[in-house]
Amino acid sequence: MGKKEKCVICSETIELHFKAMEEWKIDGTLCGKCYSKQLNEYYPGEHVRVNKHLD
């Protein structure tokens, strides 16, 4: 088996890969928790963020 990829923000092993938006200026793959946090920061407001309890 190959080497597991790590999140560029938290360094946790990634199970489900997410690509950062160009506007975030982050080079690399994100885990689900970090991707969700970045979305919340980039799009603040009244939207519902799922799985927030995992933070």
Side-chain angles (χ1 to χ4, degrees):
M1 294 245 192
K3 186 173 135 183
K4 294 275 187 173
E5 194 169 0
K6 303 260 185 196
C7 175
V8 297
I9 294 177
C10 71
S11 299
E12 293 287 324
T13 301
I14 298 175
E15 297 296 324
L16 187 58
H17 303 267
F18 290 91
K19 184 178 176 187
M21 294 175 60
E22 287 182 23
E23 296 89 344
W24 298 348
K25 304 210 184 319
I26 297 173
D27 188 29
T29 306
L30 304 176
C31 69
K33 285 195 320 186
C34 291
Y35 183 81
S36 182
K37 286 179 187 177
Q38 289 295 320
L39 274 178
N40 191 49
E41 290 173 16
Y42 194 75
Y43 295 112
E46 296 298 318
H47 62 280
V48 176
R49 186 172 154 223
V50 297
N51 296 331
K52 191 172 182 177
H53 67 283
L54 297 176
D55 288 349

